[in-house]
Structures are given as C-alpha cells and as structure tokens.
Amino acid sequence: EPEVTQTPSHQVTQMGQEVILRCVPISNHLYFYWYRQILGQKVEFLVSFYNNEISEKSEIFDDQFSVERPDGSNFTLKIRSTKLEDSAMYFCASSGYTGELFFGEGSRLTVL
Amino acid sequence: AQSVTQPDIHITVSEGASLELRCNYSYGATPYLFWYVQSPGQGLQLLLKYFSGDTLVQGIKGFEAEFKRSQSSFNLRKPSVHWSDAAEYFCAVGIGGSQGNLIFGKGTKLSVKP
C-alpha cells in the first residue's frame, strides 16, 4: 500500500539552527501539507501546497518557515532559525482528487 | 472562529463493549468532517469522513459516525470494541477552499480493558 514517508523520525537541534524536514508523498498525489503537533496540544495546520506553490497557510507559518518540492518527489519543510517553541511533531500529508489526506508517521523536532 | 471540541480526554472501555466518542464543532457553513486514529508511533489514519448526503457514515474497522447539524456534532461509534482499537482518536473539520486545511480536536485517548 502506498504511504507517505518522512525523515528524519527524530531530530535534535540547537536554538537558532536551520532544520529541514523531508517528506516523500504518495507518487500520484498533487496536494501536499504540513501539520504540527506540540506535545499535549492539537494537531495544527501549517501549510498546503499545490502546483508548485503555497495554496494556503496558517498564522503559524511565518517567515521562518518555507516549503518546496525540489525534485518532483520530495516535499520539504525548512525552519530557518529554530526557536524553543518549534519543538513539536511535524506531520506531512498528501492527497489526490478524492481529498482524503494520507499522513506520514511524523518527524519529532526537539529544539534545545 | 472555527473550532473542534472533543470533551473526553481519556476513555476506558472493556473489550466487547460499545463505544461512543464525542465531537462538537463550530463552523458557519456545512463542514467537511473527519475522524482520524493515531496508534503509538504511527501517523494519522482516516477512519471516515462526511462531505454531504447520508448523515450516518460508515468507516473502516467497523466504525461509524453520525452528523447531527442541529447539535453541531459528529460522534464516532463502534458497537463492540477490540483491544486493537486502543489508540488516540481525532475529530477534524475541513475549512476554507482546500479540504486539506483541517482543524483538529485535541483528541481522545481510548484504552481497552481485557
């Protein structure tokens, strides 16, 4: 069964460092998303991406965040200068025309 | 503002017993509604969804949910719980122009007693 894969599963970084989280969506999907879940809190929408551009983003997705699809298969989330409050589980998701989102297992980011 | 409330943080049921997980939403228009399940160390898996039509929707693993517009609710039910159903369950509402912009509830953790 096709699945969304995310790497790394866990990353520890120092505050102020840049982090890139990687996702390989399901191959025939066209819509891509990033969500995050701070420990003990709700899963929150960050951004959606379609046709090589951002289609929607939340207030959380400020200038420190960026996404790109560099090579037609990977979908990355970059955090330019991490803050303590960026510590969270980050979920990538993709969807096709049915609209059903398929989520990856998540990348846990710990900022020290 | 749009929101999703799952009033029960943690529920414990005996194996074989029935289950109902509550979800209430606040959204001005007709929502897209979803239930996801997350097992430890796993991603979020879609159990079922409501877009329109029949208000009782069937999902995977024997789950069903009923959309009640008058109560702004979308409760998840299962007639007989199995030990493997122990997981965290998230209700979500789709808003905006994209079905992918979901607002999630805080989740309900389900424990199953033998």
Side-chain angles (χ1 to χ4, degrees), chain B residues 68-84:
Chain B
K68 292 186 177 179
R69 185 188 302 276
S70 61
Q71 298 176 20
S72 297
S73 69
F74 189 57
N75 294 348
L76 181 72
R77 301 194 293 247
K78 186 169 184 178
S80 176
V81 168
H82 188 261
W83 64 265
S84 60

Side-chain angles (χ1 to χ4, degrees), chain A residues 18-32:
Chain A
E18 176 183 283
V19 160
I20 297 176
L21 304 179
R22 291 181 169 78
C23 170
V24 179
I26 293 173
S27 62
N28 61 349
H29 282 181
L30 299 175
Y31 303 85
F32 314 110

Side-chain angles (χ1 to χ4, degrees), chain B residues 37-92:
Chain B
V37 60
Q38 184 181 28
S39 299
Q42 304 291 313
L44 295 159
Q45 181 184 22
L46 180 68
L47 283 176
L48 47 76
K49 61 189 177 191
Y50 171 78
F51 287 170
S52 64
D54 193 347
T55 56
L56 183 64
V57 292
Q58 303 296 322
I60 62 170
K61 305 185 181 187
F63 285 92
E64 66 177 27
E66 187 171 12
F67 169 54
K68 292 186 177 179
R69 185 188 302 276
S70 61
Q71 298 176 20
S72 297
S73 69
F74 189 57
N75 294 348
L76 181 72
R77 301 194 293 247
K78 186 169 184 178
S80 176
V81 168
H82 188 261
W83 64 265
S84 60
D85 293 324
E88 188 144 23
Y89 292 80
F90 294 91
C91 181

Side-chain angles (χ1 to χ4, degrees), chain A residues 33 35 42 56 91 99-100 104, chain B residues 43 46 98-102 104:
Chain A
Y33 312 89
Y35 284 77
K42 297 182 181 185
E56 283 185 81
F91 292 102
E100 176 182 345
Chain B
L46 180 68
S98 163
Q99 294 174 10
N101 185 348
L102 303 179
F104 283 82

